């Protein structure tokens, strides 16, 4: 399957559902199981979205377009972090802190890719003689 | 300084840069040691090439700019190659040939 903007819209809507579910549902504080299961789903979404973003961004020969993919990943991580910050206080010891930390790590990496690709987008025309032509 | 083919950067250096770039820019696991080491090695190799071959003859090009040019160049190589996900990994990556081009692997041919 070719990754396109439509695929990413679909992925975004699935991710939004995961987040809104977690926001909406009231969990039993004495039983972490259901909460933990859903938080792990959000972690899986963060990791998988990162992998798709890395793959899609690498296919772009325009660094500016690649930076847009990474910007979306940063935005997704931010929305997860806002939610998890609240939930890890509301349901301590139910696994949200760990997922918060993983998401934060992925957010840092996505932000680095975003900034580097943005810088690269201003250097798309390579001076002659430095590198051979890409055939 | 250029090599005996008249190019500033050798084909083997280009191949190594492209390989390392794929390992960190296309890594499915950004927290892995392999990804971090590839990024570090890429930056060190770029710095070495810049110091030894670029800086003296191209004073208008800073190291930061040269690093971006190297990344842009590697991006163009891999964008043409379209890596066959999820097979991005050291064992599947192709080293550039003598012309600096990266060959397609069998699955992509």
């Amino acid at each position: 399957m070719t990754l396109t903007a439509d695929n990413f819209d679909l992925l975004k809507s699935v991710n939004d559902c995961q987040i809104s579910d977690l926001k909406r549902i009231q969990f039993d504080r004495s039983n972490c199981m259901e909460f933990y299961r859903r938080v792990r789903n959000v972690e899986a979404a963060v990791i998988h979205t990162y992998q798709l973003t890395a793959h899609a961004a690498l296919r772009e020969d325009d660094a500016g377009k690649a930076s847009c993919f990474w910007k979306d990943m940063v935005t997704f991580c931010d929305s997860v972090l806002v939610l998890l910050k609240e939930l890890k206080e509301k349901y301590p010891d139910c696994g949200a802190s760990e997922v918060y930390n993983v998401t934060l790590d992925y957010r840092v990496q996505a932000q680095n890719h975003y900034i580097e690709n943005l810088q690269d987008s201003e250097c798309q025309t390579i001076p002659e003689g430095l590198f051979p032509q890409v055939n | 300084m250029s090599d005996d083919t008249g190019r500033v950067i050798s084909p083997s250096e280009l191949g190594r840069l492209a390989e390392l770039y794929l390992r960190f820019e296309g890594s499915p696991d950004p927290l892995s040691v392999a990804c971090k080491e590839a990024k570090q090695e890429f930056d060190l190799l770029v710095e070495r090439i810049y110091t030894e071959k670029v800086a003296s003859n191209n004073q208008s090009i800073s190291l930061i700019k040269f690093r971006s040019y190297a990344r842009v160049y590697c991006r163009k190589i891999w964008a043409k190659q379209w890596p066959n996900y999820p097979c991005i990994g050291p064992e599947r990556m192709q080293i550039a040939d003598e012309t600096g081009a990266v060959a397609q692997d069998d699955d992509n041919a």
Side-chain angles (χ1 to χ4, degrees):
Chain A
M1 181 176 72
T2 305
L3 286 168
T4 64
D6 284 347
N7 299 148
F8 270 88
D9 283 347
L10 187 63
L11 178 67
K12 189 175 179 301
S13 64
V14 173
N15 287 343
D16 288 345
C17 283
Q18 301 262 22
I19 292 175
S20 61
D21 269 3
L22 202 52
K23 240 184 233 177
R24 187 172 42 83
I25 298 171
Q26 288 296 317
F27 298 95
D28 177 2
R29 284 170 194 249
S30 63
N31 183 357
C32 284
M33 285 297 284
E34 181 58 17
F35 176 78
Y36 184 65
R37 194 179 66 79
R38 286 178 186 266
V39 165
R40 288 299 300 269
N41 280 347
V42 170
E43 182 184 31
V46 168
I47 293 170
H48 194 232
T49 303
Y50 183 98
Q51 292 174 338
L52 285 172
T53 301
H55 184 54
L58 199 62
R59 286 181 167 191
E60 284 292 342
D61 71 350
D62 181 334
K65 286 183 186 168
S67 76
C68 293
F69 282 114
W70 288 114
K71 178 72 177 166
D72 285 348
M73 181 65 204
V74 172
T75 304
F76 175 52
C77 287
D78 282 343
S79 62
V80 171
L81 288 168
V82 167
L83 175 62
L84 289 180
K85 189 172 190 303
E86 186 188 321
L87 291 177
K88 73 188 174 103
E89 285 160 16
K90 198 171 174 185
Y91 305 101
D93 306 321
C94 283
S97 292
E98 290 81 356
V99 178
Y100 181 89
N101 290 338
V102 170
T103 306
L104 201 55
D105 287 341
Y106 272 77
R107 197 242 185 237
V108 168
Q109 299 304 322
Q111 174 77 1
N112 289 343
H113 283 296
Y114 168 62
I115 290 171
E116 284 190 350
N117 278 296
L118 206 56
Q119 287 171 349
D120 295 352
S121 69
E122 292 171 9
C123 295
Q124 302 262 56
T125 309
I126 301 172
E128 277 185 33
L130 277 184
F131 297 94
Q133 290 283 105
V134 180
N135 297 319
Chain B
M1 188 200 326
S2 58
D3 64 11
D4 54 8
T5 64
R7 279 196 296 254
V8 172
I9 302 157
S10 72
S12 65
E13 287 169 333
L14 282 173
R16 187 67 184 149
L17 284 174
E19 181 187 324
L20 292 167
Y21 182 79
L22 179 65
R23 284 193 199 173
F24 69 83
E25 189 70 16
S27 173
D29 182 0
L31 310 181
S32 67
V33 173
C35 176
K36 289 173 183 170
E37 283 180 350
K39 172 88 171 91
Q40 195 176 25
E41 193 184 334
F42 179 90
D43 286 343
L44 284 172
L45 181 55
V46 164
E47 196 172 332
R48 184 176 66 71
I49 294 169
Y50 178 79
T51 306
E52 291 177 3
K53 301 181 176 180
V54 177
S56 56
N57 298 323
N58 300 276
Q59 291 179 349
S60 63
I61 301 175
S62 65
L63 172 60
I64 291 171
K65 256 191 172 174
F66 180 68
R67 188 176 289 132
S68 276
Y69 289 140
R71 286 195 300 248
V72 165
Y73 186 82
C74 293
R75 166 172 295 288
K76 287 185 189 302
I77 287 175
W78 290 117
K80 287 207 179 280
Q81 172 96 342
W82 273 36
N84 190 15
Y85 193 84
C87 299
I88 297 175
E91 74 282 0
R92 293 292 302 262
M93 290 186 303
Q94 304 290 305
I95 308 293
D97 64 18
E98 288 178 0
T99 66
V102 179
Q104 295 237 330
D105 65 27
D106 292 338
D107 291 351
N108 271 349

